[in-house]
Amino acid sequence: MNLAVYPGSFDPITLGHLDVLERATGIFDRVIVAVLQNPGKSPLFSVEERMEMIRESVGDSDRVEVASFDGLTVDFAQKVGARSIVKGLRAVSDFESEFQQALFNRKLAPSVTTVFLMTSFANVFLSSSLVKEVARFGGDVSFAVSPSVARRMADLLAERS
Ligand code: PNS
C-alpha cells in the first residue's frame, strides 16, 4: 500500500489544507494527517480539538486517517511505514523553508521522500494564522475553513471573550 503522511500544526485545518489532502488521496492509497503536538507554538486549539476538526472537515473516508505525533516527522513516517511526506506549497514565500525542511528530512531519512502539492489558485492565500487573526477580531472566515471549523472558532472565541 502506498501510504503518505501529511504533517502539520493544523491549528485549525483550512480549505487550503483540505485541497492538498484531496490531491494527496488522488495519488496515495492512504494518507495519515499527522497533527504535531507543538506546545512551543502555543496553539489556539488542543491536539484533540484539531484532530476532531480534521475528522469533521474530511467526513467519512477510509483513505484518510488522523493521528498526532511529537518528535521528528521522519520518525513518525518511518514508524507508520510511510515512504512519502506530503507538504502543501502556496507561494514562493513557502518555498525556502519547505526546501530546507525537505533536504533536512532527506538527510535524516533518505528513504522518505517529500512530495509537494500545490493548492488551487483560489486557496493560495489561506493560512491558519491569518484565519485565527481575522476570527479573533470578529471577521468572517467562512471562505477559508469548513463550516465545522468556523463554528468551533466562533464558539471558542466567544467563550474566551
Ligand atoms: O503546519 P506547520 O506548522 O507549517 O507544520 C510544520 C511541521 C509540523 C510539518 C514541521 O514543523 C515538522 O515537521 N515538525 C516536526 C519536527 C521535525 O521533524 N522537524 C524537522 C523538520 S526539518
Side-chain angles (χ1 to χ4, degrees):
M1 185 175 56
N2 206 355
L3 174 69
V5 165
Y6 179 23
S9 302
F10 302 109
D11 184 39
I13 191 163
T14 67
L15 297 186
H17 293 128
L18 290 168
D19 179 339
V20 168
L21 179 59
E22 197 182 329
R23 289 170 202 279
T25 55
I27 299 172
F28 297 98
D29 298 321
R30 195 170 168 84
V31 180
I32 301 181
V33 184
V35 179
L36 178 67
Q37 294 168 6
N38 47 355
K41 277 194 169 177
S42 27
L44 179 64
F45 293 101
S46 69
V47 171
E48 290 69 30
E49 288 170 323
R50 284 182 266 157
M51 291 172 71
E52 275 168 29
M53 285 188 286
I54 296 169
R55 287 195 197 98
E56 288 167 5
S57 303
V58 171
D60 276 343
S61 169
D62 49 11
R63 309 263 309 281
V64 176
E65 190 185 317
V66 185
S68 67
F69 75 106
D70 58 10
L72 293 175
T73 295
V74 287
D75 287 345
F76 178 75
Q78 286 176 316
K79 194 179 89 183
V80 297
R83 281 176 302 157
S84 306
I85 293 173
V86 168
K87 299 299 285 288
L89 266 188
R90 286 167 303 192
V92 182
S93 51
D94 281 342
F95 183 75
E96 199 172 335
S97 89
E98 291 296 346
F99 185 62
Q100 206 175 14
Q101 284 182 54
L103 292 179
F104 235 100
N105 283 337
R106 186 186 287 169
K107 275 281 176 208
L108 294 168
S111 62
V112 179
T113 297
T114 303
V115 176
F116 290 108
L117 296 176
M118 277 164 49
T119 56
S120 67
F121 192 65
N123 291 326
V124 110
F125 64 101
L126 298 181
S127 81
S128 298
S129 29
L130 275 181
V131 162
K132 282 183 281 192
E133 183 171 313
V134 170
R136 197 170 287 135
F137 292 112
D140 178 21
V141 290
S142 57
F143 61 85
V145 294
S146 68
S148 108
V149 172
R151 200 169 44 248
R152 276 176 182 262
M153 290 196 79
D155 290 351
L156 184 77
L157 295 165
E159 232 172 68
R160 294 191 179 176
S161 66

